[in-house]
Amino acid sequence: MSENFAHLSVLLNEAVEGLNIRPDGIYVDGTFGRGGHSRRVLSHLGEHGRLIAIDRDPQAIEAAKALADDPRFTIVHGGFGQLAEYIEQLGLSGKIDGVLLDLGVSSPQLDDAERGFSFLRDGPLDMRMDNSKGQTAAEWLARADIEDMAWVFKTYGEEKNARHIARCIAADRDETPFLRTKDLASLIERITKHKERNKHPATRVFQAIRIYINSELEQISQALEGAVEVLAPHGRLSVISFHSLEDRMVKRFIRKYSQAEEVPYGLPVSEEQLNRNRKLQPLGKAIKPSDAELELNPRARSSVLRVAERLAQ
Ligand SMILES: C[S@@+](CC[C@H](N)C(=O)[O-])C[C@H]1O[C@@H](n2cnc3c(N)ncnc32)[C@H](O)[C@@H]1O
């Protein structure tokens, strides 16, 4: 079981500082994982504070039982894309003082070969964050059109050889189905001519399939919109991304809500109308992990934190 696998929280101080915690505030951790950020948030809360945590992974929910005795803590099993609905059901919409999202996969998910996320460990080609439902990566690869596979590899993996890899998968799969991570990793290794230094040739395709199988980008977009909806005036949004697709989304999202509405030049519009769209104020620049953190935790390498504040309108 995954309990043998630990997770070192990334940008822990910076992300929680970004939330600017008030002891009696109400916070949401959309990505409980193993609860590193959640525990830090709880350590800043007084007895009237509250933390609602979400995770779609049943093993994360199991790990959250360790906090079950804390009356300030609530755990929800589900996708953070539904964040606004969960908060609405709890009657807390518009009252949330901070939302934290630490995107991507946890170390236990990556390190447990049985979850099928890693090309370095042989296991069933699963990749579902919520492995209690939905199609696995193996099931998708067994049926997907070449066009669809190529699109996924290119769009979500920024893979240059997307079409070639998709064709090779389709050509091989009837005879040797791709059931295990090593089946897919070795095919890509075999057909990749120009290998990048320090990067396994299957890195991009594994990332792409994971994003597709878990609808990750749709979930992020819904979660960000949901966060703006549930945050109280001056509430904080603190988001850690792990790859350029995620960070680009977060950056554009914050920009979209921090700029005045664009109207054709010369149209008579009031200041108020122009500012209708302004719901967020970005706080500072993107934050990256310190050298000391990277030395301790090389997995933090690609992480980027962005913080924004909900405007009072
Ligand atoms: C990087 S880990 C979070 C680690 C956590 N901050 C900690 O310190 O232990 C990401 C977690 O988010 C969860 N997750 C990813 N996408 C999700 C989604 N759309 N909805 C809910 N949970 C999600 C994963 O299952 C994983 O447990």
Side-chain angles (χ1 to χ4, degrees), residues 111-132:
D111 294 341
D112 182 351
E114 292 305 304
R115 303 301 303 267
F117 283 105
S118 171
F119 44 77
L120 298 174
R121 292 171 180 78
D122 187 36
L125 195 49
D126 188 324
M127 296 202 204
R128 290 168 302 165
M129 286 190 193
D130 184 349
N131 55 359
S132 68

Side-chain angles (χ1 to χ4, degrees), residues 14 28 33 53 78 205 211 281:
E14 296 85 346
V28 175
V205 170
I211 292 177
Q281 165 79 41

Side-chain angles (χ1 to χ4, degrees), residues 7 9 30-37 55-57 78-80 102-106 109 129 219:
H7 179 85
S9 301
T31 48
F32 180 80
R34 288 302 176 271
H37 289 95
D55 207 294
R56 67 193 337 197
D57 185 339
F80 54 51
D102 176 16
L103 302 172
V105 277
S106 64
Q109 287 168 333
M129 286 190 193
Q219 282 279 309

